[in-house]
Amino acid sequence: MTPGQPGALRRVLREFGPARQAAIRVRLLARPKVAAGGVTFLFYHGVAARQRTAFNRQVSRLRGFGDLTALGDAIAFLAGPASGERRICLTFDDGDRGAYDHAFPVLAERGVPAAFFVVPRWLDEKQPGSIGWQECRSLAQAGMEVGSHSLSHRRLSTLDDADAHAEFAASRARIESELGRPCLHFACPWGQPVLDYDPHRDCALARTAGYQSFLTTFACRAAFGADPWALPRVRMEPAWGEAELAYALRR
């Protein structure tokens, strides 16, 4: 296999699924155990129709690792007294149509809260594969959090101060005007510190714009006392099974 063939690589990984699971189990045994308490924030993107059953099964498995908690409650929990209690918070980036069509019904039926981070410009332009404002209202009415994933999904680290400020303030204003309720949380596009955002400038801009949190994709568990302006999240795929879940949640 030559470089630049991600499709071929994915096919190989699917074909050797059992071997991959075995390798993950070996790595899991070698990974040191960590204290149980805190919150693991998981982030997804799309959920395909063929993955709906697997995602439903995954939600059941996640409940075995900790209480599934709403974003605002998870942040408040981390600000409280430390304990051995473990919680998990589900988030979905990009306002993906598949996440709405196939993950949201599972979550609503099972009473599981989640946060959906949307890009207002994509919604306004009716970008293919993205939900619209009516779907955002449905999410909010069902008790899901609808947060900002920036105004236009540009890499914040490449923007000057004025443009970066607009990505925070204009996206929040647009979401609030459509939903009629506060937009309290921001998930950074791509989400890696320095590479994708300036940890000092952009977290301060989010705070100034009125958000209560800034979520990244730095992969680890959030411990008690974690900074709400630099919350880590662990990537999750809807079809991952028990071995992958255990490996991800050990981080």
Side-chain angles (χ1 to χ4, degrees), residues 7-243:
L9 176 59
R10 284 193 294 270
R11 287 193 295 274
V12 169
L13 290 176
R14 283 198 299 269
E15 291 168 3
F16 291 90
R20 180 170 177 265
Q21 291 260 340
I24 288 172
R25 289 190 175 93
V26 170
R27 293 180 68 184
L28 184 60
L29 290 172
R31 173 168 282 180
K33 293 185 177 181
V34 295
V39 177
T40 300
F41 295 90
L42 302 177
F43 74 97
Y44 299 79
H45 288 93
V47 179
R50 66 181 184 279
Q51 297 173 321
R52 182 166 175 164
T53 299
F55 177 73
N56 188 29
R57 186 164 52 246
Q58 189 180 91
V59 170
S60 296
R61 287 170 169 161
L62 286 171
R63 279 182 159 152
F65 289 94
D67 290 338
L68 301 183
T69 303
L71 177 55
D73 293 340
I75 294 170
F77 173 70
L78 290 173
S83 72
E85 185 178 352
R86 175 79 174 274
R87 298 193 183 185
I88 295 169
C89 179
L90 307 186
T91 69
F92 295 81
D93 287 359
D94 294 347
D96 185 88
R97 166 64 63 178
Y100 180 85
D101 288 343
H102 306 298
F104 172 46
V106 170
L107 299 172
E109 180 179 352
R110 305 190 62 171
V112 176
F116 290 77
F117 292 98
V118 301
V119 182
R121 187 158 292 168
W122 290 359
L123 274 64
D124 288 337
E125 296 174 352
K126 297 180 171 56
Q127 176 167 300
S130 176
I131 61 174
W133 291 113
Q134 183 54 51
E135 288 81 4
C136 289
R137 286 187 280 271
S138 296
L139 289 168
Q141 290 164 5
M144 304 295 170
E145 191 76 43
V146 179
S148 170
H149 199 38
S150 80
L151 178 65
S152 60
H153 207 280
R154 291 193 287 175
R155 184 168 270 112
L156 297 173
S157 60
T158 67
L159 305 179
D160 62 26
D161 291 352
D163 285 344
H165 177 266
E167 291 292 319
F168 291 100
S171 62
R172 183 169 189 255
R174 187 75 186 95
I175 292 169
E176 291 183 343
S177 70
E178 287 288 344
L179 302 189
R181 63 182 65 192
C183 174
L184 301 177
H185 305 284
F186 183 91
C188 182
W190 296 289
Q192 286 294 303
V194 181
L195 177 64
D196 301 317
Y197 71 93
D198 182 328
H200 301 291
R201 182 197 68 175
D202 294 326
C203 295
L205 286 174
R207 188 193 300 259
T208 300
Y211 295 100
Q212 295 181 0
S213 70
F214 185 105
L215 285 78
T216 74
T217 60
F218 185 79
C220 69
R221 184 184 310 172
F224 288 96
D227 183 0
W229 303 102
L231 289 173
R233 291 190 297 167
V234 176
R235 182 176 70 88
M236 187 62 58
E237 293 294 334
W240 278 356
E242 185 176 355

